[in-house]
Each structure stands twice: as structure tokens, then as C-alpha cells.
Amino acid sequence: MKDMMQAAKVVQFGQPLSIQECEIPTPLEGQILVKTEACGVCHTDLHAAAGDWPLKPTLPFTPGHEGIGKVVALGAGVDQVKVGDRVGVPWLYSACGHCEYCLSAWETVCADAEFGGYSKDGGFAEYIIADPRYVAHIPAGLSAIQAAPIICAGVTSYKGIKETGAKPGQWLVVLGCGGLGHLAIQYAKAMGLKVCAVDIDDSKLEHAKGLGADAVVNAFSQDAAVKVKHATNGGAHGVLITAPSMTAFKEGVEMTRKTGTCVLVGLPPGEFPTDLFDVVANCKTIKGSFVGTRQDMAEALAFAADGKVKADIELCPLSDVNHVLNRLKAGEVAARIVLDFTDNSVGNNEPLVSETTKHIPGEVCEHVLDGKKITIRPISEQDKQLESEFVNGLSAQTKHYRFLGGINTLSDAMLKTLCTIDGQNSMAFVATEHDSQTGAELEIGESRYAFTGEHSAYEIAVTISDKWQHKGLGKLLTEHLIEYAKVHNVGSLYAIELADNHDMRKLAGELGMTEKMDRDDAHQVIYSLTL
């Protein structure tokens, strides 16, 4: 085993994380060493890095409490796990085990509890020291990537639903349909509940319908609480507030049925006003729920292992962590982002991308991804004409991205990135075949994506439009392409600057790309990066 590892550390509150080379720790008595395969990114990581909660972590520290990996070393006296076991290192890192709360299965509120990625170094690192008594045991058949969000977002939403006391056939409002909320909807449906999904984003509400929500309400609409009460015939028996919003907390109480329970799991700083007359006169219960116990964890993972709950995941490398946190802070993450460590895993035979959408040449088929329908069909004459026009020249107004590489299997993570950026509800995925090239094209809204290649002649060409680049999304997409290209043994990445696009020039410099060709006639500068 190597001696050094990479870890993303908070060295100063409110500043970007520092990716450092560190010594791989050695497990002491009663500890284990876990080689990280994946680690989810959570809003709690934002609070940890900002230091804006009352009890601050001790600097420096490594965030991340959704770390999944395999046990590679045991300290003395460890018999709860063995080398090779896949485990999760969750938020509840450890507890005393003998106080009144631990003894009554409420170890999450133990006064001596330690927390992963907060009071103990967490999963934004290639290796993690863990307490074997409190790790999550990942069921067979559940990948590290899919398990990562479950050991925080999953167990938190699942436990919150249990705390509402809602019974099968009764109504549950899920207020906030993002990272926690989209999992809560799935858990609730699997538990036999009726679900009313509430969010301010219509695209998330459409996705909620696809996940089985029985009713949806936009929280920005007039009289949203009245609409929820109408849809649920008097208000929900249980309300689960996942959104870190004070407004959501106030509205959630209003949406609660008489004698119902409103459970808070979102954790924005501050206080929220409560209509005491409404709460007292209507016998409403307001309670908090804090992640979940080890038993809750086992149950939450069992739902996922049975295929009843599945997180929408976007994969990113550890090197992208600061950009990921910035997107999370800006509300630009549709569901869950997972940091993928498997490309650095020596001896790990699992592929970097475990879930794929396959293109079947000559056949028409459909695939639903993140609530969006992808239609795959054979190439038409119109497609050939469009391909020819694309190859022969690009204008500054063209909103095109082009990938070359003989790729006939596309990662769900890549497609989710494209969907999230364009914010579209449907895509057309077109197989292409002309001359000596085969591949596919992908259309999302106004943007077209061409995947073609000449058998073993691999390269990727990317055209980045001004519209996307100004949002900083050109860099995001290009970084994803670089990672994707590495997995598929693509040799080079080419980026085309159109019409003196200074943003593209800046991006090329940030990515270490070199100028390859200047096409004055088309106002194009082509940059290359050898992978």
C-alpha cells in the first residue's frame, strides 16, 4: 500500500478547501482503515467549511460524512468487520454507548458523540479512519456510489418520515424536493404513504411526479398552503421539511393537518416564527429529527439494496470539490453529488462509471434518466446533413458541444450533468453513421451533442458557447469530459474558441491546454490537452 494520500482539508473557515498530500493514517486499537471509493457531498459540509454552526470543528479537518469504501486494515481488538468488507463512515462517527440515550437507541443525541467530517476527519480523502462499531454495513449488490447518499441523505429522510408517525394510506408533505427530498418521496411511496411534493422549482416537481408523488405544489404560487390542504383533504398527517429555508419551516407548519406532526430536518441557521394559536388549538406537533440510528441506517440501506430507493447522482472528482461546494451553495445542484475515488483505486476492478445508458445500433429505445426521457433512434438523412454542417463549419451563435471518441456507451452521470445544465425535460439521442465514423448525437433543448469516432482514433472536440461559459458551466462540463475521456482511454481533448471568445481562452489556460491551430477564416482557435 502506498504511503501518501490526497485529502481536501478546511484550513480556514470560509475559504476554499486545500487539497493536500498527507500520510495515510494507521488504525489504532479499536479502529479500522477504509480505502475510499466514493463520498457524497452534503449541505452540512458547507456549514462545516464555513464554521457557521454554534459548535465549530477544530481546524484543520477533512469534511465528508458519506464516505464509502473497503476495509483495508484493522487495529488491535477489532472483530466487528473484516478486511475487504464494504462499509460507510457516516455522520454519527461514534458515541459513548452507555448513556441513557445510547441505551434507548438514541445514540445520535449522545453528549459524547463524535461526527464524521466535523469532529473527526471524514470522507473527502482517499483513506478514512473509522470506528467499526458505528460504520454502516453496505449490503451486497449496492454500489459504493449509490450507497454514499443513502448513509446521510437517505437515512435522514427515512428517519424523518418515521418520526412523523404517518401511516400507510395517509398523506406526507415533502417540502423541498432536492437531495433529501427526492429520496424522501421514494421512501414514502415504498412505505405506503401518499405524497404531496412542494418545491419552488417546477423541474423538481416534475421529477417528483416521476418518482411517484401523488400531488405537487409550487411553494411560490399564491396560497400554496391552501393548495396543499385542498390536495390532502385538510392538510398532511406528516410534513417533512428538508429545505434549509426559514420560509419553508413556517409554511410546513401551516400545511400540517390537525393533530399532525411536522418534522424538521433541514438546518438553516437562525430561528423561525410559529403561530402558537394554530399549533396549540389544532394540536400540532413540531419536532426535530437528526440523521438516524444504526438500526435506521440498516433499514434505509435495505430499501436501496432492494431497488426501492435510488439517488439521482452526479459524479465529480475530488479535484472538483471547491467548485461542487460553490454550486451547492448557489443552489445549482439538482440532487446529490458524489466524489468518485475509484479511478485512483489500485487493484479495484470496478469501473468508474457503474451505471450506463447503452446505445443499440439500428434500434429505437427509450431510457428515463433523472425524470427525463431519452429517445435513442437510428440516424436519418436530416441527421447526416446536420452532422455535415457541423463538421464543415461552426458559427459564433452555434450552441453545440461536440465529442469525438467512438463512444457507444454514455454514463448516466454525464447525461445528468448535461440535463442539469440545460434544465430541459427531454432529450433526443441520435445514433450516427456515415463515412468511416459511427457514434451518436445528443440533443438537449437548443444544444446538440455529437458523439462520433473512427474506431480506435479517439479524441474529443468541445465547442463552448458564450452563453454557458458566462455561467461557469463550460468549465464544469469540460472537467467532466476530461474525467470521462480518461475512463474511455481517449487520447486528447480539443476545445474550440469561436469569434475571439476570451472566456474560452481563459478556460483553456486554467485547464492547461495549449494552442494547437488558428483558423482565421472561421475565427477559431483550437486548444488541445493530452490526457
Side-chain angles (χ1 to χ4, degrees):
M1 189 169 69
K2 61 182 183 179
D3 297 325
M4 303 296 288
M5 69 172 186
Q6 281 197 328
K9 290 185 172 290
V10 177
V11 295
Q12 185 176 346
F13 291 126
Q15 297 299 313
L17 274 60
S18 173
I19 298 180
Q20 302 177 358
E21 284 285 327
C22 312
E23 287 189 7
I24 296 174
T26 300
L28 304 177
E29 182 178 357
Q31 295 180 334
I32 60 174
L33 181 66
V34 178
K35 190 178 195 311
T36 312
E37 297 173 290
C39 185
V41 183
C42 177
H43 263 280
T44 298
D45 298 314
L46 283 178
H47 294 295
D52 60 6
W53 280 354
L55 182 61
K56 302 181 189 300
T58 300
L59 297 171
F61 69 97
T62 303
H65 52 275
E66 297 182 9
I68 308 290
K70 291 185 176 178
V71 178
V72 293
L74 308 176
V78 172
D79 56 11
Q80 297 91 342
V81 298
K82 61 182 184 300
V83 171
D85 285 355
R86 177 171 282 156
V87 300
V89 187
W91 173 252
L92 182 63
Y93 184 94
S94 66
C96 77
H98 53 74
C99 68
E100 62 174 298
Y101 303 109
C102 288
L103 293 176
S104 58
W106 280 100
E107 62 263 33
T108 50
V109 295
C110 171
D112 294 324
E114 299 279 4
F115 302 109
Y118 206 84
S119 60
K120 293 289 187 179
D121 283 336
F124 290 3
E126 292 181 293
Y127 291 85
I128 318 168
I129 289 289
D131 186 328
R133 300 172 300 167
Y134 289 87
V135 293
H137 298 268
I138 309 305
L142 188 61
S143 71
I145 288 170
Q146 273 297 327
I150 301 300
I151 71 167
C152 177
V155 70
T156 299
S157 57
Y158 172 67
K159 177 67 168 181
I161 294 171
K162 290 172 67 175
E163 288 300 301
T164 69
K167 297 177 174 61
Q170 294 184 335
W171 279 98
L172 177 81
V173 161
V174 176
L175 215 166
C177 301
L180 271 72
H182 87 288
L183 291 171
I185 293 167
Q186 297 176 67
Y187 278 114
K189 295 306 296 180
M191 295 163 73
L193 301 175
K194 295 178 181 177
V195 176
C196 179
V198 180
D199 203 286
I200 61 174
D201 186 334
D202 284 333
S203 65
K204 289 183 180 178
L205 293 176
E206 282 299 315
H207 186 29
K209 289 181 184 178
L211 295 173
D214 302 277
V216 297
V217 173
N218 191 308
F220 273 170
S221 63
Q222 188 174 5
D223 298 324
V226 173
K227 291 178 180 178
V228 168
K229 288 180 179 179
H230 177 74
T232 60
N233 193 28
H237 302 82
V239 173
L240 181 70
I241 304 178
T242 69
S245 161
M246 290 302 181
T247 302
F249 280 28
K250 180 177 183 296
E251 291 178 341
V253 177
E254 294 176 6
M255 295 171 182
T256 305
R257 195 184 201 91
K258 293 180 180 181
T259 74
T261 300
C262 180
V263 173
L264 321 178
V265 296
L267 200 55
E271 303 173 352
F272 75 100
T274 304
D275 184 340
L276 293 179
F277 185 86
D278 174 43
V279 172
V280 174
N282 292 314
C283 301
K284 296 181 178 180
T285 299
I286 302 173
K287 64 191 302 186
S289 181
F290 191 45
V291 289
T293 66
R294 287 169 288 182
Q295 180 59 37
D296 297 322
M297 179 74 76
E299 294 170 7
L301 285 166
F303 276 101
D306 288 344
K308 296 175 181 177
V309 174
K310 184 177 182 181
D312 294 333
I313 292 172
E314 175 187 339
L315 295 179
C316 290
L318 179 64
S319 58
D320 224 11
V321 65
N322 284 309
H323 190 57
V324 167
L325 292 174
N326 288 336
R327 288 177 55 207
L328 194 62
K329 186 176 182 180
E332 296 173 354
V333 176
R336 303 299 288 186
I337 290 183
V338 172
L339 301 179
D340 191 346
F341 291 81
T342 53
D343 57 333
N344 296 323
S345 298
V346 178
N348 188 341
N349 295 321
E350 295 185 14
L352 174 63
V353 179
S354 60
E355 299 170 38
T356 57
T357 299
K358 294 188 181 299
H359 152 51
I360 305 173
E363 295 184 17
V364 177
C365 59
E366 293 183 352
H367 176 76
V368 177
L369 173 68
D370 199 15
K372 309 175 197 306
K373 184 175 74 174
I374 304 168
T375 302
I376 303 176
R377 61 177 174 79
I379 189 172
S380 66
E381 289 302 319
Q382 182 182 8
D383 298 325
K384 292 181 181 179
Q385 179 63 30
L386 289 171
E387 174 73 8
S388 177
E389 291 174 0
F390 189 96
V391 171
N392 292 334
L394 298 169
S395 71
Q397 288 73 41
T398 304
K399 299 188 179 85
H400 283 202
Y401 283 65
R402 179 171 178 76
F403 315 93
L404 301 177
I407 301 170
N408 60 9
T409 301
L410 307 176
S411 73
D412 279 5
M414 173 65 72
L415 296 180
K416 284 179 182 176
T417 300
L418 302 179
C419 292
T420 300
I421 290 173
D422 255 345
Q424 300 295 325
N425 292 324
S426 64
M427 300 186 295
F429 182 32
V430 184
T432 65
E433 184 171 356
H434 64 91
D435 299 328
S436 61
Q437 294 190 331
T438 60
E441 289 192 350
L442 179 66
E443 294 183 11
I444 305 180
E446 297 178 279
S447 301
R448 294 182 66 249
Y449 305 80
F451 296 79
T452 64
E454 192 172 349
H455 304 298
S456 61
Y458 293 115
E459 62 181 23
I460 295 181
V462 185
T463 303
I464 299 182
S465 72
D466 289 316
K467 172 185 172 184
W468 284 23
Q469 184 58 34
H470 286 161
K471 293 183 179 181
L473 295 173
K475 182 177 181 182
L476 169 66
L477 181 60
T478 307
E479 288 173 342
H480 272 271
L481 286 175
I482 291 174
E483 293 302 311
Y484 188 72
K486 289 178 180 177
V487 174
H488 288 274
N489 298 316
V490 176
S492 300
L493 169 73
Y494 292 90
I496 304 173
E497 174 193 327
L498 299 179
D500 200 25
N501 184 337
H502 296 288
D503 288 320
M504 179 64 246
R505 191 173 303 171
K506 179 181 177 182
L507 171 60
E510 290 177 356
L511 295 174
M513 306 182 81
T514 57
E515 187 171 323
K516 178 181 176 66
M517 184 187 306
D518 192 345
R519 303 241 332 250
D520 291 333
D521 57 332
H523 305 289
Q524 296 180 359
V525 178
I526 300 178
Y527 302 92
S528 69
L529 177 65
T530 301
L531 302 175

